[in-house]
């Protein structure tokens, strides 16, 4: 039997993850079953369970995929030739996210599954730690670009990062509950709020 290459293994995992994300967005996280994901992927149950032991593990993989692209945008912004303003960065984070992901409310559903007794809590905690780190670096770079010393900027960025993450989460709540138009109004109000940052 030929050996499965790492590239092939990753391609299969991506296919499974994409099928799961599609089903989660269509049916909701709580009501999507592994059988739904098997059907949507066009693969056998055995093939899927060879990569993911259960729905929680697969959901965690979906969450990591959604978060990873956002982390890269923030990290890249911290080293850009012209560092975007905090409000511009928030807009970029959401303008570059697939609109169906935003409209489905899947991110909010994943957070709900990460509650105090949720299986996804450790993944959410790791994601917050990563986001806090990259937002701290971005905010420090932004503050340095505004004339602060690196030391002062880093101290202030550490204090601001949790609130900045909260502003991003607020947008996702607005988008999920109130819809796109009111969520865009939310970003306008965030821009006013951040004008003095």
């Amino acid at each position: 039997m030929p050996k499965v290459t790492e590239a092939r293994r990753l391609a299969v995992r991506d296919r499974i993850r994409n099928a799961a994300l599609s089903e989660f967005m269509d049916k909701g996280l709580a009501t999507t079953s592994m059988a739904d994901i098997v059907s949507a992927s066009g693969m056998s149950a055995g093939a899927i369970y060879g990569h993911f032991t259960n729905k929680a593990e697969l959901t965690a993989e979906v969450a990591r995929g959604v978060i990873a692209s956002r982390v890269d945008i923030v990290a890249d912004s911290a080293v850009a030739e012209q560092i975007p303003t905090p409000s511009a960065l928030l807009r970029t984070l959401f303008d570059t996210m697939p609109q169906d992901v935003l409209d489905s409310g899947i991110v909010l559903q994943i957070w709900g599954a990460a509650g105090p007794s949720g299986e996804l809590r450790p993944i959410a905690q790791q994601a917050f730690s990563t986001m806090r780190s990259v937002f701290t670096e971005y905010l420090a770079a932004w503050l340095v670009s505004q004339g602060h010393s690196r030391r002062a900027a880093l101290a202030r960025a550490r204090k601001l990062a949790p609130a900045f993450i909260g502003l991003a989460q607020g947008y996702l709540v607005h988008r999920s509950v109130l819809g796109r138009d009111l969520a865009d109004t939310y970003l306008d109000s965030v821009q006013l709020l951040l004008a003095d940052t």
Side-chain angles (χ1 to χ4, degrees), residues 86 132 135-136 139-140 142-143 153-167 194 197:
R132 186 175 185 154
F135 273 120
T136 297
L139 288 166
W142 164 250
L143 291 166
L154 194 53
R156 183 169 175 158
R158 285 185 182 122
K159 292 177 182 176
L160 291 174
F164 199 68
I165 293 168
L167 291 172
L194 294 175
T197 301

Side-chain angles (χ1 to χ4, degrees), residues 41-182:
S41 72
M43 300 172 68
S44 70
I48 290 179
Y49 283 110
H51 290 273
F52 300 98
T53 57
N54 55 34
K55 181 179 160 185
E57 187 178 312
L58 181 49
T59 304
E61 183 72 12
V62 168
R64 280 188 205 96
V66 170
I67 292 165
S69 60
R70 306 302 92 199
V71 166
D72 290 345
I73 288 171
V74 177
D76 290 347
S77 295
V79 295
E81 187 173 321
Q82 184 169 359
I83 298 170
T85 65
S87 58
L89 175 59
L90 279 181
R91 282 194 187 275
T92 299
L93 283 173
F94 299 117
D95 287 347
T96 57
M97 185 178 272
Q99 296 304 296
D100 56 347
V101 171
L102 287 171
D103 292 337
S104 71
I106 188 61
V107 176
L108 207 54
Q109 293 175 53
I110 290 171
W111 284 343
S117 61
E119 293 176 287
L120 298 180
R121 188 175 177 87
I123 282 72
Q125 289 173 332
Q126 181 181 3
F128 281 117
S129 176
T130 300
M131 291 302 285
R132 186 175 185 154
S133 177
V134 296
F135 273 120
T136 297
E137 282 304 313
Y138 157 75
L139 288 166
W142 164 250
L143 291 166
V144 166
S145 78
Q146 299 304 297
H148 295 262
S149 71
R150 172 71 182 161
R151 183 177 177 172
L154 194 53
R156 183 169 175 158
R158 285 185 182 122
K159 292 177 182 176
L160 291 174
F164 199 68
I165 293 168
L167 291 172
Q169 293 168 323
Y171 175 83
L172 292 168
V173 172
H174 273 72
R175 180 74 178 250
S176 295
V177 176
L178 303 174
R180 182 181 298 183
D181 293 338
L182 290 175

Side-chain angles (χ1 to χ4, degrees), residues 4 25 28 76 157 190:
V4 176
M25 290 189 305
D76 290 347
V190 166

